[in-house]
Every structure is written in structure tokens, then in C-alpha cells.
Amino acid sequence: MKKCMLSLIALFLIAGCSSTPTPTPTPVATEEATPTPTAETAEVTDYVIGTWTDNLYESETIGIRFTLQDGWISQSEEYQQAILDAGSEALGQEATQETILEFLVTTKDNGVNIQGVSNYVGPIVKSLTPELLIETMKSQLTAVEEFSYEVLEEGTATVGGSEFNYLYLLETNYNLHQKVYFKVVGEYLTSITVSSDEANVEKAEEFVNSIEAY
């Protein structure tokens, strides 16, 4: 139960971000109706997913790299997708192809998980203020009746040499600590969500501090 809950809670934050006001994607109905690529649509394809080399993760797009130490594992993309679907279902939303699963790393006892996700938002994301993004996350979290969130801190923080917006929450029903770091990358909103139980807050912080610049 603890393992599922830690993973699922992380997705509530990510799914909440994706509900920020965004343009509705236009489906491709027929081959004839497919629009000619423009500079704006081309930018979407410019997103390069990070790569793993043994225990080393690197992302030029996000601008970070980290190495998994003993006691940490990287979860499969299938596992991440299952968690994403569960979180989206709980919020009454559908996961879309515009969600990029970058990584989900956990301690072997699952006391900590750290997840990287990018959501395509479109050109509008460049005009959204950090304050609006934070408020959107807060409103989504408080709308889920099963969970009770208390905001402990908010502002900016440095991760891997880059400045991220930052939100630190405590889920009081399960006594779970969550820190979400997010920034705009092109037309994407990239989030790194750190979830831990009370006993592993320091271990989670150590991992975040070990993230380096790409």
C-alpha cells in the first residue's frame, strides 16, 4: 500500500500541472487535412528525451544529469505509464501522448521516489507566470478529496545548476512529504517531483543535491 501510494501521489502533482489552461490539440482527421508543419509545431518535435547509460541519466533538454547510487533503482517506462494512468484517472483526466515520461527512480524500499515528467502545453506556457503555475497546482491538489495537502514552502530553488520554481507540500493524511520543482522548457512544462515518507526526507534531499548540470 505504501509503495503504491508514494508513486500515485507523485502523479497527482504532475497531472495537476497538465491541467493548466492550454490550447486544445487538433486531431489529424485525414491525410489531406494534415497541416503543413510550421515553426511553432516544429518546436514540439525538438524535445529530446533524456538517456540512460548504465546508472547515469542525462538530459540536455532539461539540463541535468545524475547517477544512481546503491539502494536506488530506475523503474520501467511501463511502470511509469501505469502510475500516470492511475493518477490521471483519480483526477478525472486522460493521460495524453503529449506527456513525456523522463524518469522514475526509487529507493529499493520505495521510501523515496523521484519522477521527471514533461507536459506539452504549447506557446501559451511562455506567458504563464510562476505564481499562476503554483496556484494551479494548489487548486488541483485540494480538489482531490482523498488527500489533504498543506503548503510548507514555495518559491524558487536551484537543481543541477538551473533555477526551478518550487513547491513543498505535506500530505497530512499519510504524512508524505513532496517537493515539486518545475520550469518551462520551450513549449513544455517540466517537473521533477520528489516524494518521501517522514523517515526518508533527508535521503530524498541528498538525491536532489546530487543532481548535476548537464
Side-chain angles (χ1 to χ4, degrees):
M1 176 66 176
K2 171 184 173 183
K3 295 180 180 180
C4 293
M5 193 60 64
L6 275 170
S7 297
L8 184 57
I9 298 291
L11 265 298
F12 280 113
L13 286 172
I14 301 306
C17 286
S18 66
S19 65
T20 305
T22 64
T24 302
T26 302
V28 178
T30 65
E31 185 174 348
E32 292 79 4
T34 304
T36 301
T38 63
E40 288 186 353
T41 58
E43 185 172 350
V44 181
T45 64
D46 289 343
Y47 188 104
V48 179
I49 299 177
T51 59
W52 284 96
T53 305
D54 296 327
N55 287 332
L56 172 65
Y57 169 83
E58 297 180 291
S59 172
E60 182 177 5
T61 303
I62 304 176
I64 63 171
R65 62 159 52 97
F66 58 79
T67 301
L68 292 184
Q69 304 299 326
D70 291 342
W72 289 82
I73 58 175
S74 174
Q75 300 289 354
S76 68
E77 185 173 339
E78 291 76 17
Y79 181 91
Q80 295 180 60
Q81 187 63 53
I83 297 299
L84 178 63
D85 292 341
S88 297
E89 181 180 353
L91 284 172
Q93 301 172 348
E94 291 186 5
T96 71
Q97 294 180 348
E98 294 161 336
T99 299
I100 297 175
L101 307 175
E102 281 285 352
F103 58 83
L104 174 58
V105 298
T106 70
T107 52
K108 290 183 178 179
D109 63 2
N110 221 51
V112 183
N113 75 47
I114 301 178
Q115 184 178 57
V117 175
S118 291
N119 286 298
Y120 176 65
V121 180
I124 194 173
V125 74
K126 298 176 183 178
S127 65
L128 299 178
T129 65
E131 292 77 15
L132 178 57
L133 292 172
I134 286 177
E135 289 305 316
T136 300
M137 287 185 183
K138 291 179 184 177
S139 65
Q140 284 294 319
L141 289 167
T142 56
V144 183
E145 295 182 357
E146 184 179 354
F147 306 102
S148 177
Y149 282 94
E150 175 185 344
V151 178
L152 303 182
E153 295 176 12
E154 60 183 84
T156 60
T158 300
V159 178
S162 297
E163 185 175 278
F164 285 73
N165 299 299
Y166 166 77
L167 189 63
Y168 180 15
L169 307 110
L170 175 67
E171 202 295 312
T172 55
N173 287 344
Y174 298 94
N175 200 26
L176 294 175
H177 294 255
Q178 290 191 296
K179 296 183 179 181
V180 56
Y181 304 88
F182 59 97
K183 67 177 180 177
V184 173
V185 178
E187 295 182 358
Y188 288 79
L189 181 63
T190 294
S191 303
I192 299 173
T193 303
V194 181
S195 302
S196 68
D197 56 25
E198 184 72 31
N200 287 284
V201 172
E202 185 174 338
K203 184 177 293 186
E205 191 67 21
E206 288 175 356
F207 188 97
V208 173
N209 291 337
S210 75
I211 297 175
E212 301 176 339
Y214 177 82

